[in-house]
Amino acid sequence: MSGTVDYNNIDFGVFLPITNGGWIISDTTPKIYGSYEQNRSAAILAEELGLDFIMSMAKWRGYGGRTNHWGTSLESMTMMAGLAEATKKVKVYATVHTLLYHPAVAAKMFATLDQISNGRVGMNVVSGSYSKEFSQMGMWPENLDHGARYDLAKEWMQVVKKLWSEDRVNHEGQYFQLKDCMSDPKPVQNPRPSIICAGASDKGLSFTIDEGDACFVGGKDVQEIAKVSARAKEIARDRNKTIKTYAMFGIYPGETEEEANAKIQLYQEGADREAIMGLMESYGLAVDGKESSISARARTALMSQPISGTAETITARIREIIETANLDGMMLTFPDYDADMRFFGERVLPRLRG
């Protein structure tokens, strides 16, 4: 399939280090504190290097262990407002949980973000989460199963879209009721900010296809990612729609293959097993009864699937993955959000787009 993809049309973005520990559950990694200073530096660097987007997740509780992995986190929409002001070109994705924010509140927050960013904001919608994150606030709906949470998210998203486009909104739904609700200003972008959501089940993929623009797909390996990506595009075709698919990977560079492998081995030697068990307990089993892909990967301490090696090896591997899974983009994590991101931006991205 080599040569069939125009990599200038493939989006490469950065999953920002909004939480301590980043995407490796270990204490032998470069230190990530989950600070605004680190995130601001990473965002500015991502833009300077020509990456297409920056994204932050929303996290409310960590996994314990000696590293207290993800125990410290900034709030996504607030942080991205700051980073929208600190950047000029890069797409800015903030994350919102439909279980925590009323759609009228979220609609106005993202209209505000869109104005701050001058039309660069995107919405990452999350319909569920690690239940302890919400139950600690008394906000986990025990009566809603996986499918019902997507039903709620669908109604939530439809209300947000109405508030972004209509002067007054009346809505009497199963989960939300609005009476003569007004929300101004409207977003800068026309017709609206872009919407992305992660999902692997047909229910989740259908939600994204009906309400969004792109889907984050996951899997235990590239073959599984390819199957989910293909399924998403198949469902979209059946509905006379199109959907973009993205997947997350970690970049582990070295001047030699041996150097890159040695870094991964060092990170894995420092694995925080207690925090890994905390993560596995929180994600548990997937809807189909199989272990979730993030839980399976976390066993190795690496939370995102690794792409490692020299610049040439990483470039070749990215091409292979993009073309095998028919992806429209990658969201990337790094052990070091300065040196490793520079390596990618200066030595890999030009090879992909040259």
Side-chain angles (χ1 to χ4, degrees), residues 19-20 23 31 156 160 164 258 261 304 313 323 331 339 341:
T19 55
N20 69 303
W23 291 90
K31 296 305 177 187
W156 184 97
V160 167
W164 281 345
E258 292 75 19
N261 291 334
S304 55
T313 302
E323 295 173 26
M331 181 169 65
M341 197 196 305

Side-chain angles (χ1 to χ4, degrees), residues 10-192:
I10 300 295
D11 292 330
F12 293 98
V14 178
F15 211 5
L16 292 170
I18 194 171
T19 55
N20 69 303
W23 291 90
I24 310 172
I25 310 176
S26 170
D27 60 7
T28 53
T29 60
K31 296 305 177 187
I32 292 176
Y33 303 101
S35 67
Y36 181 70
E37 180 182 4
Q38 274 190 325
N39 281 273
R40 186 178 186 277
S41 295
I44 292 172
L45 179 59
E47 181 167 271
E48 290 175 351
L49 293 170
L51 288 153
D52 300 293
F53 67 89
I54 53 175
M55 177 179 285
S56 64
M57 66 177 173
K59 197 68 186 169
W60 309 96
R61 186 183 181 98
Y63 301 122
R66 67 178 183 273
T67 59
N68 186 31
H69 192 77
W70 286 5
T72 297
S73 61
L74 300 178
E75 192 282 315
S76 179
M77 289 179 279
T78 311
M79 187 183 84
M80 300 313 279
L83 298 185
E85 186 70 27
T87 56
K88 291 181 172 59
K89 297 181 294 184
V90 71
K91 186 79 173 180
V92 177
Y93 279 97
T95 295
V96 60
H97 280 117
T98 58
L99 295 178
L100 290 184
Y101 292 87
H102 190 281
V105 175
K108 187 171 285 289
M109 293 179 79
F110 274 85
T112 304
L113 280 166
D114 210 29
Q115 193 169 122
I116 294 169
S117 66
N118 193 27
R120 289 182 289 128
V121 77
M123 175 186 281
N124 179 38
V125 182
V126 180
S127 64
S129 189
Y130 167 27
S131 62
K132 284 186 178 179
E133 290 189 74
F134 292 0
S135 61
Q136 68 180 354
M137 314 173 197
M139 293 293 288
W140 183 253
E142 297 288 351
N143 61 317
L144 298 183
D145 62 14
H146 173 267
R149 290 196 295 274
Y150 272 116
D151 292 337
L152 181 148
K154 186 177 184 70
E155 184 180 332
W156 184 97
M157 196 72 256
Q158 290 171 348
V159 170
V160 167
K161 289 177 181 177
K162 288 180 181 179
L163 290 165
W164 281 345
S165 61
E166 299 176 13
D167 292 335
R168 298 171 183 268
V169 174
N170 290 287
H171 177 86
E172 189 65 33
Q174 182 177 357
Y175 301 102
F176 302 103
Q177 294 77 42
L178 288 79
K179 183 177 180 180
D180 193 30
C181 188
M182 302 172 67
S183 184
D184 289 299
K186 305 304 182 192
V188 173
Q189 295 177 75
N190 185 23
R192 56 167 174 77

